Amino acid sequence: MAKFYFKSSRKEEQQQLVPTKTTVDFLLNYSKALSVIDYKNMKFEALLN
Amino acid sequence: MKDYTIKDAVLVNNYIKGDENALSTLIERHKQRIYSFIYSKVFDRDVSEDIFQDTFIKVIRTLKLGKYNEEGKFLPWVMRIAHNLVIDHFRKGNRMPKFEDNGEFSIFSIISDGDLNAEKRIIKDQVEEDLRNLIQELPEDQKEVLVMRMYRDMSFKEISDKTGVSINTALGRMRYALINLRKVIEKNNIVLTN
């Protein structure tokens, strides 16, 4: 029964509030893959995998 | 504010110049704060992940495109992007109610039963009966037009053809019928709501 009433406190939850490693890795890979090409006055984005 | 050995502004500059490790440091440095901020608004891990990701995608694109011009204010700038994306998320949510299975959720809180319950059905019947009686009190010409329009769903053109009066006359009779009904309702304090 106890588990029905138990709820971890907000403080406990907040301590481990970080994005997953997958999300961070995705962002770092996205950053590496994204390149901006300057052509005259224009900028083009290209995602290179 | 923590005193980091390398300032955010320097890392941002290095990143713009092509140092990918600078971004990694920036994310590591601020991820907890930004993620907590997002989570404190949406209270959903998956949504927080999505918004965190979208926030940094925006950051990366802006920096790489050379559009960033708020040196020294990196964190407030990222927080503002996150804040705007949280608002976007709620706007989307308003347009499309979402089903969340968090254990306490009841599907009936968003899907209501369109049928009236017994009490409301009785009230509705009474209201309709009262209204029918009131209509009977109207002058014959007004009653005729109102019944054709409201109960038989006829257009004013059809009413005009059927009764042999002009459309304007039919419209006028409808108008007076409604005015008279309102007068009687107000005078007798009749409640016609469910």
Side-chain angles (χ1 to χ4, degrees):
Chain A
M1 274 305 272
K3 69 177 179 190
F4 290 125
Y5 298 101
F6 177 79
K7 206 174 177 190
S8 59
S9 72
R10 207 32 74 72
K11 222 173 197 177
E12 263 175 81
E13 267 178 33
Q14 298 230 335
Q15 275 170 357
Q16 24 166 322
L17 280 178
V18 283
T20 58
K21 193 176 174 300
T22 323
T23 305
V24 176
D25 286 348
F26 168 83
L27 288 166
L28 296 175
N29 289 331
Y30 172 81
S31 169
K32 281 176 196 158
L34 181 72
S35 69
V36 175
I37 303 149
D38 279 300
Y39 178 73
K40 294 184 181 170
N41 285 333
M42 293 175 284
K43 283 179 192 284
F44 297 97
E45 288 174 53
L47 264 182
L48 313 163
N49 281 311
Chain B
M1 186 68 81
K2 285 182 190 170
D3 190 19
Y4 299 109
T5 37
I6 309 173
K7 298 264 184 233
D8 283 352
V10 177
L11 287 168
V12 169
N13 250 327
N14 291 349
Y15 176 64
I16 291 170
K17 284 175 192 158
D19 178 8
E20 291 290 335
N21 290 329
L23 178 72
S24 174
T25 312
L26 284 167
I27 293 178
E28 281 303 316
R29 190 176 277 182
H30 300 299
K31 68 179 182 186
Q32 203 250 339
R33 208 156 156 198
I34 297 163
Y35 188 87
S36 303
F37 166 75
I38 298 167
Y39 186 82
S40 73
K41 304 286 178 228
V42 298
F43 290 114
D44 184 303
R45 289 267 179 178
D46 296 331
V47 176
S48 301
E49 292 282 338
D50 285 350
I51 295 179
F52 182 87
Q53 187 173 301
D54 289 346
T55 302
F56 270 94
I57 285 177
K58 241 178 190 168
V59 168
I60 291 166
R61 289 188 62 236
T62 310
L63 293 177
K64 289 221 171 187
L65 285 165
K67 290 179 183 169
Y68 177 73
N69 56 4
E70 294 184 63
E71 275 186 45
K73 293 176 188 167
F74 178 73
L75 184 60
W77 173 61
V78 181
M79 292 292 248
R80 201 163 59 243
I81 294 173
H83 180 252
N84 289 342
L85 289 172
V86 166
I87 292 172
D88 286 351
H89 161 74
F90 283 116
R91 281 194 187 135
K92 257 186 262 166
N94 280 342
R95 282 200 296 269
M96 194 186 293
K98 199 177 73 163
F99 172 79
E100 278 178 81
D101 187 12
N102 60 9
E104 300 159 12
F105 179 80
S106 161
I107 188 72
F108 298 109
S109 65
I110 54 163
I111 298 174
S112 62
D113 179 7
D115 290 348
L116 298 169
N117 62 27
E119 186 191 353
K120 285 191 172 166
R121 207 164 46 236
I122 292 169
I123 296 172
K124 185 172 177 279
D125 289 345
Q126 282 174 356
V127 167
E128 286 173 358
E129 181 60 33
D130 287 346
L131 192 59
R132 269 194 293 274
N133 291 336
L134 287 172
I135 292 167
Q136 292 307 318
E137 302 298 318
L138 289 171
E140 201 55 43
D141 55 348
Q142 293 172 20
K143 183 166 71 182
E144 188 183 32
V145 173
L146 187 135
V147 170
M148 285 181 187
R149 180 77 193 116
M150 304 310 290
Y151 290 92
R152 296 185 203 151
D153 214 16
M154 291 164 70
S155 68
F156 281 103
K157 173 82 174 66
E158 288 166 334
I159 295 170
S160 149
D161 293 342
K162 183 103 179 168
T163 56
V165 297
S166 70
I167 291 180
N168 273 340
T169 309
L171 281 165
R173 285 179 182 174
M174 182 71 190
R175 188 174 122 82
Y176 280 108
L178 295 175
I179 290 171
N180 287 331
L181 273 179
R182 281 200 196 102
K183 267 188 203 163
V184 180
I185 290 166
E186 273 169 31
K187 196 174 160 194
N188 298 296
N189 286 325
I190 301 167
V191 179
L192 294 173
T193 48
N194 197 339

